[in-house]
């Protein structure tokens, strides 16, 4: 696809209206976070809070004149018709499901930014040749049903609907049942027809843009992701009477894995590997009983697929070695999610960079440390992302997550201009820049 060459208009959105929408959505699933003293957001996929957020967003889509459809994976699409209804649409969007200790921006900026672009096009009476669609993908975080970018992976065909529906949360509740319970078991086909292009606006969730002193990131791609669940089976025993050499201590084995992962990262043998044990539990979890069982999740990230594969190998052989360390200890490993590094489309990246230049916004190019729906939709069409700078070293998955109103508006301005150019404004439509409100 060639990047749009027209020096088409630049589009400025209404930053205050965008901010109001962000703050209103953030109140759904809000909680007072004791650790930080801040207002956090807990809106796990397909919980009542997520369902309420979905209904609020669908209301805003309809107010903006979008035709809304929900597919069998619960993905929501709002469609703005173009002059050429047969033209493949330009797609934008992201997710509104959150982790349990979220802020107001992760995913939401991309969905509400897309709706704000539509509102601005409506305000200006701009018609585009191509339709424009705004997507809300289901279970992007993967924190409830254990597989991230799930809705977009089903839309792109990497994961089947049946497999996704059968995934269960820690209480054994199946995703398919939750779609039905919340009323988001839509009827539209879950496989997305390839759009013309996809551009997603998202907070960076890291320190790069702030350290570079810029608001905008042109995202070159996403690093590889590997999620595994490791269960260590030991033997419950009395904490006082059981000699050390007779123990099969699952807790000890789990601790050994945590420290081994950090040693792998610090060894430098696996490039820019990042390793996280986000969940760890021992059972029965009582003071005077040697742990019979331990479960932990391992999240590995690496921009280099070969180094990632070697790291996974190293981890697996370490787990196998632990089995020989204590009599009777065994381990089981379950893959939860695995995606290779994904490069984004050069032409779409250029379109984003050109839009930032035309807005007079400095920008840097960078690889995404986080996973995003864009990495799945990239399998269907030319795709790239606009990153928005965060404060406090871009902390995220923490209620301290914060991007200021200016940075959010700048990011969505760049998104709006990029989308407009890709969707091709129909001559005669008002195309002046909208003065920021
Ligand atoms: O895990 C991630 O990178 C994203 O937040 N789903
Ligand atoms: Mn996200
Ligand atoms: Mn996230």
């Amino acid at each position: 696809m060639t990047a749009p060459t027209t020096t088409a208009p630049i589009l400025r959105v209404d930053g205050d209206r965008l901010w109001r929408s962000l703050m209103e959505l953030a109140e759904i699933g809000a909680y007072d976070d004791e650790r930080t003293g801040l207002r956090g957001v807990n809106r796990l996929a397909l919980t009542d809070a997520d369902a309420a957020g979905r209904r609020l967003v669908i209301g805003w889509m309809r107010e903006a004149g979008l035709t809304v459809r929900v597919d069998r994976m619960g993905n929501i699409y709002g469609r703005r018709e173009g002059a050429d209804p047969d033209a493949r649409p330009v797609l934008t969007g992201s997710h509104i499901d959150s982790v349990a200790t979220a802020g107001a921006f992760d995913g939401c900026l991309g969905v509400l930014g897309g709706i704000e672009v539509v509102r601005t096009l409506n305000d200006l009476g701009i018609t585009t040749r191509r339709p424009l669609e705004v997507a809300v993908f289901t279970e992007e975080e993967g924190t409830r049903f254990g597989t991230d970018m799930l809705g977009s992976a089903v839309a792109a065909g990497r994961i089947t609907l049946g497999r996704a529906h059968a995934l269960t949360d820690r209480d054994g509740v199946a995703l398919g049942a939750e779609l039905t319970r919340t009323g988001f078991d839509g009827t539209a086909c879950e496989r997305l027809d390839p759009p013309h292009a996809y551009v997603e606006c998202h907070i960076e969730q890291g320190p790069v843009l702030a350290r570079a002193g810029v608001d905008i990131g042109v995202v070159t791609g996403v690093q590889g992701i590997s999620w595994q669940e490791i269960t260590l089976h030991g033997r419950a025993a009395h904490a006082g009477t059981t000699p050390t050499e007779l123990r099969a201590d699952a807790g000890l084995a789990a601790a050994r894995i945590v420290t081994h992962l950090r040693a792998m990262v610090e060894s430098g043998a696996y490039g820019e590997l990042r390793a996280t044990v986000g969940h760890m539990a021992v059972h029965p979890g009582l003071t005077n009983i040697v742990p019979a069982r331990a479960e932990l999740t391992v999240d590995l990230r690496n921009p280099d697929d070969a180094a990632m594969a070697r790291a996974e190998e190293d981890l697996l052989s370490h787990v196998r070695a632990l089995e020989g360390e204590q009599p009777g200890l065994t381990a089981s490993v379950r893959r939860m999610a695995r995606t290779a590094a994904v490069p984004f489309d050069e032409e779409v990246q250029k379109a984003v960079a050109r839009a930032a230049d035309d807005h007079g916004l400095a920008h840097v190019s960078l690889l995404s440390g986080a996973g995003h729906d864009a990495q799945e939709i990239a399998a269907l069409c030319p795709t790239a992302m606009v990153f928005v700078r965060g404060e406090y070293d871009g902390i995220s998955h923490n209620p301290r997550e914060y991007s200021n109103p200016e940075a959010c508006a700048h990011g969505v301005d760049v998104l709006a201009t990029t989308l407009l150019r890709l969707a091709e404004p129909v001559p005669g439509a008002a195309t002046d820049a909208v003065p920021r409100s």
Side-chain angles (χ1 to χ4, degrees):
M1 181 197 74
T2 48
T5 49
T6 57
T7 48
I10 62 170
L11 209 50
R12 284 202 178 85
V13 297
D14 181 333
D16 292 342
R17 182 170 57 187
L18 169 67
W19 189 259
R20 286 195 300 275
S21 297
L22 281 164
M23 293 304 110
E24 187 171 344
L25 179 55
E27 277 308 305
I28 298 184
Y31 73 98
D32 293 318
D33 188 83
E34 278 142 39
R35 262 198 41 66
T36 59
L38 298 169
R39 203 108 165 93
V41 175
N42 179 1
R43 202 169 48 231
L44 296 188
L46 298 174
T47 56
D48 291 344
D50 184 39
R54 285 163 163 258
R55 287 191 292 272
L56 178 66
V57 166
I58 286 175
W60 283 334
M61 285 183 164
R62 290 197 169 120
E63 275 170 24
L66 296 179
T67 306
V68 176
R69 68 182 190 275
V70 180
D71 74 14
R72 296 189 297 180
M73 186 53 208
N75 294 318
I76 300 164
Y77 298 91
R79 179 182 174 92
R80 183 178 197 262
E81 283 309 335
D84 177 357
D86 300 328
R88 285 191 292 148
V90 173
L91 179 68
T92 188
S94 191
H95 62 96
I96 65 162
D97 65 286
S98 80
V99 293
T101 55
F105 305 90
D106 180 354
C108 302
L109 180 62
V111 171
L112 301 183
I115 294 173
E116 177 52 36
V117 171
V118 170
R119 289 166 173 163
T120 303
L121 293 172
N122 294 344
D123 292 348
L124 281 170
I126 291 178
T127 303
T128 54
R129 182 176 77 82
R130 294 181 176 283
L132 183 65
E133 292 195 351
V134 183
V136 183
F137 292 110
T138 300
E139 181 60 315
E140 186 278 343
E141 293 292 1
T143 34
R144 182 176 177 194
F145 295 99
T147 302
D148 56 354
M149 282 74 72
L150 188 58
S152 46
V154 170
R158 181 171 66 85
I159 293 178
T160 64
L161 184 72
R163 188 177 138 212
H165 277 193
L167 289 173
T168 56
D169 66 10
R170 287 214 176 101
D171 298 326
V173 178
L175 184 142
E178 285 295 86
L179 283 172
T180 307
R181 183 183 68 81
T182 56
F184 284 96
D185 51 342
T187 52
C189 177
E190 68 283 356
R191 293 295 303 273
L192 184 64
D193 289 334
H196 172 64
Y198 177 69
V199 187
E200 179 173 347
C201 181
H202 202 288
I203 51 171
E204 177 206 341
Q205 302 177 290
V208 174
L209 298 185
R211 288 180 183 169
V214 302
D215 270 356
I216 302 295
V218 180
V219 188
T220 59
V222 179
Q223 67 177 339
I225 302 173
S226 163
W227 282 8
Q228 301 177 72
E229 182 183 68
I230 301 175
T231 305
L232 299 137
H233 307 275
R235 189 176 50 253
H238 195 295
T241 58
T242 313
T244 302
E245 66 276 12
L246 296 183
R247 294 182 180 211
D249 183 339
L252 172 66
R256 290 248 205 278
I257 290 172
V258 175
T259 53
H260 182 75
L261 284 165
R262 179 56 67 93
M264 284 168 60
V265 170
E266 289 171 348
S267 74
Y270 304 101
E272 295 164 62
L273 176 71
R274 288 177 179 159
T276 309
V277 174
H279 169 76
M280 185 155 65
V282 291
H283 305 273
L286 300 174
T287 307
N288 57 357
I289 305 179
V290 174
R293 192 176 86 250
E295 297 142 9
L296 54 91
T297 57
V298 177
D299 175 324
L300 301 177
R301 305 287 172 117
N302 203 313
D304 178 330
D305 287 334
M308 175 73 101
R310 286 189 286 111
E312 288 177 317
E313 271 303 306
D314 180 326
L315 172 60
L316 190 59
S317 49
H318 181 75
V319 170
R320 292 296 164 235
L322 286 173
E323 291 183 308
E325 237 186 43
Q326 299 187 69
L329 184 99
T330 61
S332 53
V333 180
R334 179 176 72 85
R335 177 177 294 295
M336 298 162 69
R338 182 70 169 87
T339 47
V342 174
F344 286 151
D345 180 84
E346 296 285 340
E347 292 306 318
V348 181
Q349 289 181 53
K350 280 183 200 151
V352 171
R354 194 173 297 126
D357 290 338
D358 292 349
H359 278 279
L361 294 170
H363 52 87
V364 292
S365 292
L366 73 166
L367 184 74
S368 175
H372 297 288
D373 293 310
Q375 71 187 81
E376 298 297 338
I377 307 303
L380 295 178
C381 65
T383 292
M385 293 181 75
V386 185
F387 266 0
V388 166
R389 161 194 187 146
E391 310 294 333
Y392 315 113
D393 270 338
I395 189 168
S396 183
H397 288 189
N398 180 307
R400 193 167 297 283
E401 173 187 287
Y402 185 77
S403 289
N404 66 49
E406 195 70 27
C408 289
H410 284 164
V412 176
D413 284 344
V414 172
L415 175 74
T417 297
T418 307
L419 294 174
L420 175 59
R421 293 173 177 179
L422 289 167
E424 303 162 32
V426 170
T431 58
D432 297 332
V434 174
R436 189 183 301 295
S437 63

